[in-house]
């Protein structure tokens, strides 16, 4: 059955998918490979904000206690902060600030998380913590200007509902939020502060109690945040993890949950930011590297903006070390890019989204159709991706009647198509075929980058009555981008394909040859 796509737009396409992207801890941004990767992402996709852990951890060197004249004092140092933020802004991306983790010189305990040992305990001195928050935010305002910093959301901590990130419990987080949010607003009342940055799996009561606390204490809050993942329990293997997956719709359900849970509270209508999302929450799950992953997440990118003001892919790059230094170029990392800038299939899903138009013409379970202001029509289509492990669908077909040009237009459209699938734009498959080399040589890296290129094709499509009929036959786990541009035919009237090899008769070119 052919789907007749309406001519009139039904909505504007949300760009919530590009509002923010995740990163490993912030001091990784000092590395060359990291900056080269982010520069590539910004040129080809263009995110507005970037969020990562560790702004206040020891690796950034901000909180520097010392003793002088028998008195404990603190120096706030911004050497690395400035280098990181300068690098971000030079590439057209601004911080989405996460205030954490605890500097060891201010921590009340020794509990840490990750290979790099971020301290997750409350401050032993709330006044010193508030001074630290004011100093960091105030420095950013002084260096980059209040108008700019007011556009940078400031999130209080990370996943406090999980003991590995906050063993002190919910009441202690409420107190941390109170002290922190008030300190932020002391710098400037119009700065955006929010939370509670919850991990999936929390009971409704967690976020509802947070809302009650904020309202009862009349605390500042400018947005609500949570995270979304769709994976099950970990099945560990050496240097990796495997997990079951829920349907992709589970991610969309998580995106929409806070507004339902906060209905009737003063937080109900606040902007909602999903400050982390992915399939697996493990940075060593090979599903992240596959063509399946792009097809699985396509409906999330196509529809997530209806449910949240932003949803931040975790993360842009495999320059990431939560469970240690990666041991292979494909190790199941979160990133859209591997080390050394090999584009994964999900990277191309994002570049395809970056080329969609602003007018939504149609959406379905396997497609999104948009139109640009200049008349180009773009179609994002994807194969069904079964997280239950069923055989990939080969030959799934999306049949569309697309409006092209004026309602009575006749002629043709130029059809440009790019695709990633099991057989195209799949460097992980090429790496497997190479024997999974742990340290590929330069020729192998070149081959992997070549394998990461999408399949490309072009053709002419007839237009009759302002419509073009297209049948998109999709391969296994394919995501495809089709762009139709109305053709203005400028072919000379004397042109004939027969003449290409000098086969045209005298009558055909007599008028051209006469003086």
């Amino acid at each position: 059955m052919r789907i007749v796509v309406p001519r009139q737009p039904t909505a504007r396409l949300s760009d919530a998918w590009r509002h923010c992207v995740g990163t490993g801890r912030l001091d990784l941004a000092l590395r060359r490979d990291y900056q080269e990767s982010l520069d590539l992402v910004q040129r080809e996709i263009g995110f507005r904000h970037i969020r990562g852990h560790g702004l206040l951890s020891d690796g950034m060197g901000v909180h520097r206690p010392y003793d002088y004249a028998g008195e404990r004092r603190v120096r706030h140092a911004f050497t690395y902060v400035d280098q990181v933020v300068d690098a971000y802004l030079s590439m057209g991306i601004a911080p989405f600030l996460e205030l954490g983790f605890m500097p060891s010189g201010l921590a009340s305990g020794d509990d840490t998380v990750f290979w790099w040992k971020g301290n997750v305990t409350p401050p032993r001195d709330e006044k010193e913590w508030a001074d630290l928050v004011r100093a960091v935010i105030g420095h950013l305002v002084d260096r980059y200007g209040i108008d700019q910093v007011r556009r940078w959301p400031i999130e209080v901590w990370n996943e406090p509902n999980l003991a590995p990130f906050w063993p002190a419990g919910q009441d202690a987080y409420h107190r941390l939020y109170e002290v922190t949010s008030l300190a932020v607003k002391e710098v400037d009342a119009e700065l955006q502060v929010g939370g509670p940055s919850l991990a999936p799996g929390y009971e409704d009561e967690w976020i509802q109690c947070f809302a009650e606390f904020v309202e009862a204490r009349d605390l500042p809050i400018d947005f609500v945040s949570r995270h979304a993942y769709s994976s099950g329990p970990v099945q560990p293997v050496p240097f990796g993890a495997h997990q079951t997956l829920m349907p992709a719709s589970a991610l969309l359900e998580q995106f929409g949950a806070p507004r339902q849970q906060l209905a009737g509270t003063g937080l109900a209508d606040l902007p909602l930011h999903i400050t982390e999302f992915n399939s697996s929450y493990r940075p060593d799950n090979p599903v992240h590297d596959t063509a399946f992953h792009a097809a699985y997440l396509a409906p999330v990118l196509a529809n997530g903006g209806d449910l949240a003001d932003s949803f931040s892919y975790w993360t842009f790059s495999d320059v990431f070390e939560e469970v240690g230094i990666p041991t292979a170029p494909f190790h199941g990392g979160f990133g859209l890019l591997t080390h050394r800038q090999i584009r994964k299939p999900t990277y191309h899903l994002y570049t395809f989204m970056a080329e969609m138009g602003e007018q939504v013409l149609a959406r379905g379970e396997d497609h999104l159709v948009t139109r640009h202001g200049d008349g180009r029509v773009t179609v994002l289509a994807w194969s069904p991706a079964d997280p239950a492990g069923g055989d990939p669908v080969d030959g799934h077909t999306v049949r569309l009647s697309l409006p092209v040009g004026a309602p009575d237009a006749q002629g043709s459209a130029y059809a440009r198509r790019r695709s990633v699938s099991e057989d195209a734009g799949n460097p992980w498959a090429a790496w497997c075929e190479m024997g999974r080399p742990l340290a590929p040589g330069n020729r192998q890296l070149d081959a992997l980058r070549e394998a990461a290129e999408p399949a490309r094709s072009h053709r002419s499509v007839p237009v009759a009555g302002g419509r073009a009929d297209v049948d998109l036959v999709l391969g296994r786990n394919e995501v495809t981008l089709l762009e139709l541009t109305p053709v203005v035919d400028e072919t000379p009237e004397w042109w004939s394909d027969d003449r290409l090899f000098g086969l045209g008769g005298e009558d055909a070119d007599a008028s051209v040859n006469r003086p």
Side-chain angles (χ1 to χ4, degrees):
M1 178 179 174
R2 189 171 303 282
I3 298 169
V4 178
V5 174
R7 181 170 294 277
Q8 294 301 315
T10 60
R12 291 188 65 83
L13 182 62
S14 167
D15 63 354
W17 60 272
R18 76 184 331 156
H19 183 80
C20 187
V21 71
T23 175
R25 69 183 191 276
L26 293 190
D27 51 298
L28 292 173
L30 301 171
R31 297 186 185 177
R32 176 181 174 182
D33 192 23
Y34 180 107
Q35 292 193 16
E36 289 176 345
S37 297
L38 184 57
D39 187 57
L40 175 62
V41 165
Q42 286 304 97
R43 289 198 312 269
E44 297 189 348
I45 300 172
F47 293 101
R48 289 201 293 274
H49 292 91
I50 187 165
R51 173 190 174 273
H53 306 320
L55 172 63
L56 305 179
S57 296
D58 289 352
M60 289 292 282
V62 177
H63 181 266
R64 308 296 289 275
Y66 64 99
D67 292 319
Y68 180 73
E71 182 181 48
R72 185 181 188 277
R73 305 183 185 186
V74 176
R75 168 177 287 183
H76 298 123
F78 304 107
T79 305
Y80 279 3
V81 171
D82 291 349
Q83 291 183 48
V84 170
V85 177
D86 285 357
Y88 286 160
L89 295 179
S90 73
M91 289 181 275
I93 195 167
F96 191 122
L97 297 167
E98 176 203 297
L99 296 180
F101 294 121
M102 195 60 59
S104 60
L106 182 53
S108 60
D110 298 324
D111 294 331
T112 62
V113 69
F114 303 143
W115 171 81
W116 49 273
K117 299 187 182 305
N119 190 288
V120 293
T121 63
R124 67 167 180 258
D125 184 325
E126 289 183 352
K127 179 183 180 301
E128 191 171 311
W129 169 259
D131 289 343
L132 172 62
V133 171
R134 283 191 295 267
V136 172
I137 304 303
H139 171 77
L140 294 173
V141 168
D142 291 342
R143 184 174 177 85
Y144 302 105
I146 189 60
D147 290 340
Q148 178 146 218
V149 180
R150 281 174 178 169
R151 296 195 293 269
W152 302 354
I154 303 169
E155 188 176 37
V156 180
W157 212 254
N158 176 74
E159 298 188 350
N161 58 315
L162 295 185
F165 288 105
W166 185 254
Q170 186 170 4
D171 289 344
Y173 175 74
H174 288 171
R175 181 58 185 163
L176 181 79
Y177 183 85
E178 179 173 15
V179 171
T180 307
S181 63
L182 291 174
V184 168
K185 293 293 187 176
E186 284 181 43
V187 177
D188 183 81
E190 294 185 41
L191 292 170
Q192 303 174 55
V193 67
S197 185
L198 297 180
Y202 64 86
E203 299 294 330
D204 291 4
E205 288 78 7
W206 214 110
I207 197 168
Q208 291 166 348
C209 288
F210 172 73
E212 291 170 5
F213 176 80
V214 169
E215 290 188 89
R217 304 282 290 182
D218 194 24
L219 297 177
I221 185 164
D222 299 291
F223 65 87
V224 174
S225 63
R226 69 156 288 171
H227 299 165
Y229 292 94
S230 55
S231 52
V234 174
Q235 304 165 29
V237 295
F239 303 103
H242 298 276
Q243 295 166 283
T244 57
L245 290 179
M246 295 178 278
S249 59
L251 288 169
L252 296 173
E253 291 169 3
Q254 291 177 52
F255 288 9
R259 288 204 168 110
Q260 298 174 13
Q261 294 156 345
L262 294 171
T265 74
L267 280 58
D269 297 324
L270 292 177
L272 170 60
H273 295 302
I274 309 301
T275 50
E276 292 181 22
F277 93 95
N278 208 315
S279 57
S280 167
Y281 56 81
R282 290 284 304 199
D284 53 2
N285 186 328
V287 74
H288 295 135
D289 299 336
T290 64
F292 167 88
H293 200 246
Y296 176 77
L297 290 183
V300 179
L301 266 67
N303 297 289
D306 292 345
L307 301 166
D309 293 276
S310 76
F311 48 105
S312 177
Y313 187 80
W314 188 255
T315 58
F316 84 90
S317 168
D318 281 351
V319 181
F320 188 93
E321 298 175 353
E322 286 185 357
V323 296
I325 298 169
T327 61
F330 290 93
H331 57 273
F334 290 123
L336 297 170
L337 293 169
T338 73
H339 283 248
R340 299 171 180 258
Q341 296 85 55
I342 300 170
R343 299 166 174 86
K344 300 182 188 181
T346 305
Y347 178 94
H348 291 297
L349 169 63
Y350 270 84
T351 65
F352 294 170
M353 282 294 296
E355 297 201 36
M356 299 297 285
E358 63 276 9
Q359 303 171 18
V360 176
L361 300 182
R363 272 194 285 210
E365 62 182 11
D366 55 7
H367 65 276
L368 168 66
V369 183
T370 66
R371 185 169 55 215
H372 293 261
D374 62 8
R376 285 175 296 138
V377 174
T378 42
V379 180
L380 183 73
W382 55 90
S383 292
D386 181 7
D391 292 335
V393 175
D394 199 355
H396 179 77
T397 302
V398 181
R399 295 182 173 87
L400 301 170
S401 172
L402 299 169
V404 178
D408 57 351
Q410 306 291 325
S412 65
Y414 177 72
R416 177 186 179 212
R417 182 173 173 181
R418 282 159 287 171
S419 300
V420 293
S421 66
E422 293 295 331
D423 300 316
N426 189 352
W428 182 77
W431 180 71
C432 295
E433 291 159 359
M434 289 178 180
R436 293 180 168 87
L438 298 182
N442 288 336
R443 286 182 60 83
Q444 289 174 311
L445 287 171
D446 287 344
L448 290 170
R449 294 191 185 103
E450 183 179 86
E453 289 297 313
R456 294 177 170 89
S457 63
H458 57 86
R459 64 189 179 96
S460 177
V461 175
V463 175
R467 289 202 164 267
D469 291 344
V470 297
D471 291 350
L472 296 174
V473 181
L474 306 179
R476 293 169 299 151
N477 290 324
E478 180 174 341
V479 179
T480 195
L481 176 70
L482 177 72
E483 179 184 87
L484 290 182
T485 305
V487 169
V488 177
D489 195 347
E490 299 182 25
T491 304
E493 61 182 6
W494 61 81
W495 178 257
S496 168
D497 288 343
D498 288 343
R499 299 185 62 216
L500 184 62
F501 299 104
L503 300 178
E506 290 186 5
D507 291 342
D509 59 3
S511 62
V512 177
N513 293 329
R514 289 193 187 102

